[in-house]
Short mmCIF file of all heavy atoms in Angstrom, two decimals:
data_model
loop_
_atom_site.label_atom_id
_atom_site.label_comp_id
_atom_site.label_asym_id
_atom_site.label_seq_id
_atom_site.Cartn_x
_atom_site.Cartn_y
_atom_site.Cartn_z
N MET A 79 -3.18 -5.43 10.34
CA MET A 79 -3.96 -4.27 10.14
C MET A 79 -5.18 -4.49 9.25
O MET A 79 -6.07 -3.67 9.19
CB MET A 79 -3.13 -3.10 9.62
CG MET A 79 -2.35 -3.39 8.37
SD MET A 79 -1.13 -2.18 7.97
CE MET A 79 -2.07 -1.07 6.97
N GLY A 80 -5.23 -5.60 8.54
CA GLY A 80 -6.36 -5.92 7.69
C GLY A 80 -6.47 -5.17 6.41
O GLY A 80 -7.39 -5.39 5.61
N ALA A 81 -5.57 -4.26 6.15
CA ALA A 81 -5.64 -3.46 4.93
C ALA A 81 -4.97 -4.17 3.76
O ALA A 81 -4.02 -4.92 3.97
CB ALA A 81 -4.98 -2.09 5.15
N THR A 82 -5.45 -3.93 2.56
CA THR A 82 -4.85 -4.50 1.37
C THR A 82 -3.70 -3.62 0.93
O THR A 82 -3.80 -2.38 0.95
CB THR A 82 -5.91 -4.57 0.23
OG1 THR A 82 -6.97 -5.38 0.70
CG2 THR A 82 -5.31 -5.16 -1.02
N SER A 83 -2.60 -4.25 0.53
CA SER A 83 -1.42 -3.55 0.03
C SER A 83 -0.99 -4.17 -1.28
O SER A 83 -1.14 -5.39 -1.48
CB SER A 83 -0.24 -3.64 0.98
OG SER A 83 -0.57 -3.02 2.21
N VAL A 84 -0.47 -3.32 -2.16
CA VAL A 84 0.14 -3.82 -3.38
C VAL A 84 1.65 -3.53 -3.23
O VAL A 84 2.05 -2.41 -3.00
CB VAL A 84 -0.42 -3.08 -4.65
CG1 VAL A 84 0.29 -3.54 -5.89
CG2 VAL A 84 -1.91 -3.37 -4.78
N ILE A 85 2.44 -4.58 -3.32
CA ILE A 85 3.88 -4.47 -3.09
C ILE A 85 4.62 -4.79 -4.41
O ILE A 85 4.34 -5.86 -5.00
CB ILE A 85 4.35 -5.41 -1.98
CG1 ILE A 85 3.49 -5.18 -0.70
CG2 ILE A 85 5.82 -5.23 -1.71
CD1 ILE A 85 3.66 -6.28 0.33
N ALA A 86 5.44 -3.84 -4.85
CA ALA A 86 6.16 -4.04 -6.14
C ALA A 86 7.58 -3.65 -5.96
O ALA A 86 7.94 -2.71 -5.24
CB ALA A 86 5.48 -3.16 -7.21
N PRO A 87 8.50 -4.34 -6.67
CA PRO A 87 9.94 -3.95 -6.63
C PRO A 87 10.12 -2.70 -7.49
O PRO A 87 9.50 -2.56 -8.56
CB PRO A 87 10.61 -5.16 -7.28
CG PRO A 87 9.59 -5.76 -8.17
CD PRO A 87 8.28 -5.50 -7.54
N ILE A 88 10.97 -1.81 -7.02
CA ILE A 88 11.33 -0.64 -7.83
C ILE A 88 12.80 -0.60 -8.16
O ILE A 88 13.26 0.16 -8.98
CB ILE A 88 10.87 0.65 -7.20
CG1 ILE A 88 11.36 0.87 -5.79
CG2 ILE A 88 9.31 0.76 -7.23
CD1 ILE A 88 11.07 2.21 -5.21
N ALA A 89 13.59 -1.40 -7.46
CA ALA A 89 15.03 -1.55 -7.72
C ALA A 89 15.45 -2.81 -6.97
O ALA A 89 14.70 -3.37 -6.21
CB ALA A 89 15.81 -0.32 -7.24
N ASP A 90 16.70 -3.22 -7.19
CA ASP A 90 17.19 -4.34 -6.40
C ASP A 90 17.12 -4.02 -4.95
O ASP A 90 17.63 -3.01 -4.47
CB ASP A 90 18.68 -4.63 -6.75
CG ASP A 90 18.85 -5.24 -8.14
OD1 ASP A 90 17.85 -5.77 -8.68
OD2 ASP A 90 19.97 -5.19 -8.66
N HIS A 91 16.42 -4.87 -4.21
CA HIS A 91 16.28 -4.75 -2.75
C HIS A 91 15.49 -3.53 -2.29
O HIS A 91 15.61 -3.11 -1.12
CB HIS A 91 17.63 -4.79 -2.04
CG HIS A 91 18.50 -5.92 -2.46
ND1 HIS A 91 18.20 -7.23 -2.11
CD2 HIS A 91 19.60 -6.01 -3.23
CE1 HIS A 91 19.10 -8.02 -2.62
NE2 HIS A 91 19.99 -7.32 -3.32
N VAL A 92 14.74 -2.89 -3.18
CA VAL A 92 13.90 -1.74 -2.83
C VAL A 92 12.47 -2.03 -3.27
O VAL A 92 12.24 -2.33 -4.42
CB VAL A 92 14.40 -0.43 -3.49
CG1 VAL A 92 13.53 0.75 -3.09
CG2 VAL A 92 15.87 -0.14 -3.09
N LEU A 93 11.57 -1.90 -2.31
CA LEU A 93 10.16 -2.21 -2.57
C LEU A 93 9.26 -0.99 -2.33
O LEU A 93 9.55 -0.13 -1.53
CB LEU A 93 9.68 -3.33 -1.65
CG LEU A 93 10.44 -4.66 -1.73
CD1 LEU A 93 9.96 -5.59 -0.57
CD2 LEU A 93 10.24 -5.28 -3.05
N LEU A 94 8.18 -0.99 -3.11
CA LEU A 94 7.14 0.05 -2.95
C LEU A 94 5.88 -0.63 -2.45
O LEU A 94 5.45 -1.66 -3.00
CB LEU A 94 6.86 0.70 -4.30
CG LEU A 94 5.61 1.56 -4.42
CD1 LEU A 94 5.76 2.81 -3.55
CD2 LEU A 94 5.28 1.91 -5.85
N ALA A 95 5.29 -0.12 -1.39
CA ALA A 95 4.03 -0.65 -0.86
C ALA A 95 2.96 0.47 -0.90
O ALA A 95 3.17 1.52 -0.32
CB ALA A 95 4.20 -1.17 0.53
N VAL A 96 1.89 0.23 -1.62
CA VAL A 96 0.75 1.15 -1.64
C VAL A 96 -0.34 0.46 -0.90
O VAL A 96 -0.78 -0.64 -1.25
CB VAL A 96 0.35 1.46 -3.11
CG1 VAL A 96 -0.84 2.39 -3.13
CG2 VAL A 96 1.54 2.03 -3.89
N THR A 97 -0.84 1.10 0.18
CA THR A 97 -1.78 0.46 1.09
C THR A 97 -3.11 1.18 1.12
O THR A 97 -3.13 2.44 1.11
CB THR A 97 -1.19 0.38 2.51
OG1 THR A 97 0.07 -0.32 2.45
CG2 THR A 97 -2.12 -0.33 3.48
N GLY A 98 -4.16 0.43 1.15
CA GLY A 98 -5.51 0.98 1.23
C GLY A 98 -5.96 1.18 2.65
O GLY A 98 -5.16 1.02 3.61
N PRO A 99 -7.18 1.59 2.83
CA PRO A 99 -7.72 1.84 4.18
C PRO A 99 -7.90 0.56 4.97
O PRO A 99 -8.10 -0.50 4.40
CB PRO A 99 -9.07 2.50 3.89
CG PRO A 99 -9.46 1.99 2.58
CD PRO A 99 -8.21 1.82 1.77
N GLU A 100 -7.74 0.70 6.29
CA GLU A 100 -8.04 -0.45 7.17
C GLU A 100 -9.53 -0.68 7.17
O GLU A 100 -10.33 0.27 7.02
CB GLU A 100 -7.51 -0.15 8.57
CG GLU A 100 -6.01 -0.06 8.64
CD GLU A 100 -5.54 0.16 10.06
OE1 GLU A 100 -6.23 -0.18 11.01
OE2 GLU A 100 -4.42 0.68 10.17
N PRO A 101 -9.92 -1.93 7.28
CA PRO A 101 -11.39 -2.18 7.30
C PRO A 101 -12.08 -1.42 8.42
O PRO A 101 -11.49 -1.23 9.49
CB PRO A 101 -11.48 -3.70 7.57
CG PRO A 101 -10.12 -4.21 7.22
CD PRO A 101 -9.13 -3.14 7.42
N LYS A 102 -13.27 -0.94 8.14
CA LYS A 102 -14.03 -0.19 9.14
C LYS A 102 -14.56 -1.14 10.22
O LYS A 102 -14.97 -2.24 9.92
CB LYS A 102 -15.16 0.56 8.48
CG LYS A 102 -14.66 1.67 7.60
CD LYS A 102 -15.77 2.50 7.03
CE LYS A 102 -15.13 3.64 6.33
NZ LYS A 102 -15.67 4.09 5.20
N LEU A 103 -14.53 -0.66 11.43
CA LEU A 103 -15.11 -1.43 12.53
C LEU A 103 -16.61 -1.28 12.53
O LEU A 103 -17.14 -0.27 12.06
CB LEU A 103 -14.52 -0.93 13.87
CG LEU A 103 -13.01 -1.05 14.01
CD1 LEU A 103 -12.57 -0.37 15.30
CD2 LEU A 103 -12.58 -2.50 14.00
N ALA A 104 -17.26 -2.24 13.08
CA ALA A 104 -18.71 -2.17 13.19
C ALA A 104 -19.08 -0.91 14.00
O ALA A 104 -18.48 -0.60 15.01
CB ALA A 104 -19.28 -3.41 13.88
N ASN A 105 -20.07 -0.17 13.49
CA ASN A 105 -20.45 1.08 14.17
C ASN A 105 -21.45 0.91 15.31
O ASN A 105 -21.98 1.88 15.78
CB ASN A 105 -20.95 2.07 13.13
CG ASN A 105 -22.19 1.55 12.40
OD1 ASN A 105 -22.72 0.51 12.76
ND2 ASN A 105 -22.60 2.28 11.38
N GLY A 106 -21.74 -0.33 15.64
CA GLY A 106 -22.65 -0.56 16.78
C GLY A 106 -24.09 -0.68 16.37
O GLY A 106 -24.93 -1.05 17.18
N GLU A 107 -24.41 -0.35 15.11
CA GLU A 107 -25.79 -0.44 14.68
C GLU A 107 -26.12 -1.93 14.51
O GLU A 107 -25.29 -2.73 14.10
CB GLU A 107 -26.00 0.30 13.38
CG GLU A 107 -25.86 1.78 13.50
CD GLU A 107 -26.05 2.50 12.19
OE1 GLU A 107 -26.49 1.85 11.18
OE2 GLU A 107 -25.82 3.72 12.14
N THR A 108 -27.34 -2.24 14.81
CA THR A 108 -27.81 -3.60 14.61
C THR A 108 -28.73 -3.68 13.43
O THR A 108 -29.32 -2.66 13.03
CB THR A 108 -28.57 -4.11 15.88
OG1 THR A 108 -29.67 -3.25 16.11
CG2 THR A 108 -27.65 -4.17 17.07
N ILE A 109 -28.86 -4.86 12.85
CA ILE A 109 -29.77 -5.04 11.75
C ILE A 109 -31.19 -4.90 12.29
O ILE A 109 -31.52 -5.40 13.35
CB ILE A 109 -29.58 -6.44 11.11
CG1 ILE A 109 -28.16 -6.52 10.55
CG2 ILE A 109 -30.62 -6.72 10.06
CD1 ILE A 109 -27.78 -7.87 10.03
N SER A 110 -32.01 -4.20 11.56
CA SER A 110 -33.39 -3.97 12.01
C SER A 110 -34.10 -5.28 12.23
O SER A 110 -33.83 -6.25 11.58
CB SER A 110 -34.16 -3.12 11.00
OG SER A 110 -34.21 -3.82 9.73
N GLU A 111 -34.98 -5.25 13.19
CA GLU A 111 -35.72 -6.46 13.54
C GLU A 111 -36.58 -6.85 12.39
O GLU A 111 -37.16 -6.00 11.70
CB GLU A 111 -36.56 -6.22 14.81
CG GLU A 111 -35.75 -6.01 16.05
CD GLU A 111 -34.85 -7.15 16.39
OE1 GLU A 111 -35.29 -8.31 16.28
OE2 GLU A 111 -33.69 -6.94 16.81
N GLY A 112 -36.73 -8.12 12.14
CA GLY A 112 -37.56 -8.63 11.08
C GLY A 112 -37.36 -10.10 11.01
O GLY A 112 -36.74 -10.71 11.83
N SER A 113 -37.90 -10.68 9.95
CA SER A 113 -37.76 -12.12 9.80
C SER A 113 -36.32 -12.48 9.51
O SER A 113 -35.56 -11.68 8.94
CB SER A 113 -38.68 -12.64 8.66
OG SER A 113 -38.16 -12.21 7.42
N SER A 114 -35.94 -13.69 9.82
CA SER A 114 -34.56 -14.13 9.54
C SER A 114 -34.27 -14.13 8.06
O SER A 114 -33.16 -13.90 7.61
CB SER A 114 -34.26 -15.50 10.16
OG SER A 114 -35.13 -16.46 9.57
N HIS A 115 -35.30 -14.31 7.24
CA HIS A 115 -35.13 -14.30 5.78
C HIS A 115 -34.70 -12.92 5.33
O HIS A 115 -33.79 -12.77 4.52
CB HIS A 115 -36.46 -14.71 5.12
CG HIS A 115 -36.39 -14.74 3.60
ND1 HIS A 115 -35.57 -15.63 2.93
CD2 HIS A 115 -36.95 -13.95 2.69
CE1 HIS A 115 -35.68 -15.38 1.61
NE2 HIS A 115 -36.54 -14.38 1.48
#
Side-chain angles (χ1 to χ4, degrees):
M79 55 191 272
T82 301
S83 297
V84 176
I85 306 166
I88 55 173
D90 288 342
H91 308 291
V92 180
L93 301 173
L94 167 68
V96 179
T97 302
E100 292 183 24
K102 293 187 172 142
L103 299 174
N105 59 8
E107 293 180 7
T108 59
I109 297 174
S110 61
E111 293 300 319
S113 72
S114 62
H115 180 67

